[in-house]
Amino acid sequence: MTDLILHHYPTSPFSEKVRLILGVKKLPWKSVFIPPIMPKPEVLELTGGYRKTPFLQIGADMYCDSALIADVLEHLQPQATLYPEPEKGMSRILSQWADTTLFWAAMAWNLQPKGAAEVFAHAPPEAAKAFGEDRGKMSAGNMTRLRPADATSAYKSYLRRLSDMLDDKPFLLGEVPCIADFSAYHPLWYTRRIEAVKGILDLTPAVVDWMDRIAAIGHGQPEKFSAPEAIAVAQAATPLTVLTDSTFQDDHGIPLGSEVTVRAESFGLEETAGQLVAATRTHYTLARRSDRTGTVHVHFPRIGYVLRKAEA
């Protein structure tokens, strides 16, 4: 198998989700640290515009969004499965809720003034300002952000509901962790890192115990790698997706071979432009080329992303 290269940074919640999935599947992987905020020239060289964290590189194929990355890793290593029967559909639905609704409530709580002050306590004042401006540009004013007071109520309710799910089993849907566990865990993991706000977790000790079980999985077998090395890997490779669904599903009236753009629906609105080479029931694939990378394929999940024909 071609090397798995994860482009991430240590404090990224969605990266922690993927690192744990690599751990539960006992997969070796190469670790490329990327900047938390723009500019990210080497990231954009590989993705063509997508700047959210993390993304997974396999040769000349770039897989964007943790939901699609999870599907890729499931295909490469079916055990331990992320989507156990008969709760396969439930695990995906719960995972999507956790990656969106739970995540944004948790982050509004986490980065309230006392939380943000701790996160940036050892950074120069301009760092906090730059981070806020960067995340503001990613949402471009089209997202409804919870205020800390509203987030407190929502987050406490969500933690209680997770606790209820753990009354009679070690993981959210059964005896083994599934995609729902990893998606629900990562925003809580970020909470636990911040002394000023982590006390909210003490209200649900069953959730804390579950978090300990997830954390014990670890991150598998990472090996340090560099962005220039990753670009060289892409340059030397030919795109060859590991995604198995290939039937064209035309929901937009855009034929394959068209010049298109893809971007996230609500957060991370930067577009990736390229030639549409796949549009299946689960994902889009764009082909693009640069002098440094050669031809690469950039893959996005359908859910949560917007496909448009490029303007002439």
Side-chain angles (χ1 to χ4, degrees):
M1 181 177 66
T2 303
D3 289 335
L4 305 176
I5 305 172
L6 185 67
H7 298 254
H8 67 124
Y9 60 88
T11 58
S12 160
F14 280 95
S15 296
E16 181 66 7
K17 171 187 172 182
V18 174
R19 292 187 292 253
L20 286 163
I21 292 172
L22 288 161
V24 80
K25 291 184 173 294
K26 297 180 170 57
L27 287 167
W29 54 284
K30 295 187 182 298
S31 170
V32 176
F33 284 160
I34 63 176
I37 65 173
M38 294 289 267
K40 302 182 178 185
E42 289 162 320
V43 168
L44 302 188
E45 191 73 51
L46 290 166
T47 67
Y50 182 86
R51 48 79 55 100
K52 295 201 291 183
T53 307
F55 71 95
L56 178 71
Q57 176 185 352
I58 305 178
D61 290 271
M62 314 299 151
Y63 299 94
C64 302
D65 195 282
S66 66
L68 186 63
I69 293 171
D71 285 347
V72 168
L73 297 178
E74 179 78 0
H75 174 74
L76 292 173
Q77 174 55 276
Q79 300 301 325
T81 182
L82 299 174
Y83 312 105
E85 298 288 2
E87 292 88 5
K88 183 177 180 179
M90 177 65 76
S91 69
R92 287 187 180 274
I93 289 171
L94 184 56
S95 174
Q96 187 178 358
W97 165 82
D99 281 342
T100 53
T101 303
L102 174 63
F103 176 81
W104 288 114
M107 294 309 287
W109 166 264
N110 295 336
L111 296 178
Q112 61 181 287
K114 64 182 180 181
E118 181 178 328
V119 168
F120 295 103
H122 302 294
E126 58 270 20
K129 181 181 178 182
F131 182 86
E133 290 175 349
D134 181 80
R135 293 307 188 260
K137 290 175 183 176
M138 291 182 76
S139 57
N142 72 334
M143 284 182 60
T144 300
R145 296 293 190 95
L146 286 173
R147 296 175 301 174
D150 298 320
T152 300
S153 302
Y155 197 17
K156 286 179 179 178
S157 291
Y158 298 152
L159 289 171
R160 288 194 300 269
R161 292 170 190 176
L162 292 172
S163 182
D164 289 343
M165 296 177 71
L166 296 163
D167 276 348
D168 58 353
K169 49 188 178 295
F171 299 100
L172 293 179
L173 294 179
E175 297 300 313
V176 295
C178 67
I179 189 62
D181 292 276
F182 297 112
S183 290
Y185 174 84
H186 68 88
L188 279 59
W189 165 82
Y190 199 88
T191 302
R192 205 176 194 183
R193 297 178 61 257
I194 307 171
E195 288 291 333
V197 301
K198 72 177 187 179
I200 196 171
L201 300 172
D202 295 338
L203 302 173
T204 49
V207 170
V208 174
D209 291 343
W210 162 79
M211 291 181 70
D212 289 341
R213 290 191 287 274
I214 297 291
I217 291 168
H219 294 162
Q221 305 163 48
E223 176 188 337
K224 188 176 180 181
F225 210 56
S226 72
E229 287 175 308
I231 289 173
V233 167
Q235 173 71 255
T238 299
L240 181 65
T241 183
V242 300
L243 295 168
T244 55
D245 61 324
S246 58
T247 302
F248 179 45
Q249 179 174 309
D250 182 13
D251 294 333
H252 297 78
I254 301 175
L256 296 180
S258 299
E259 294 299 317
V260 299
T261 63
V262 173
R263 67 162 177 83
E265 286 178 354
S266 60
F267 186 72
L269 304 180
E270 295 82 4
E271 294 180 336
T272 293
Q275 183 183 60
L276 185 67
V277 295
T280 76
R281 63 186 178 84
T282 64
H283 74 277
Y284 305 118
T285 300
L286 274 58
R288 54 175 305 277
R289 178 178 177 80
S290 77
D291 290 341
R292 287 188 69 192
T293 65
T295 298
V296 300
H297 284 182
V298 188
H299 309 271
F300 301 89
R302 269 192 185 257
I303 294 175
Y305 288 80
V306 177
L307 172 71
R308 289 195 174 97
K309 197 163 187 176
E311 296 180 3

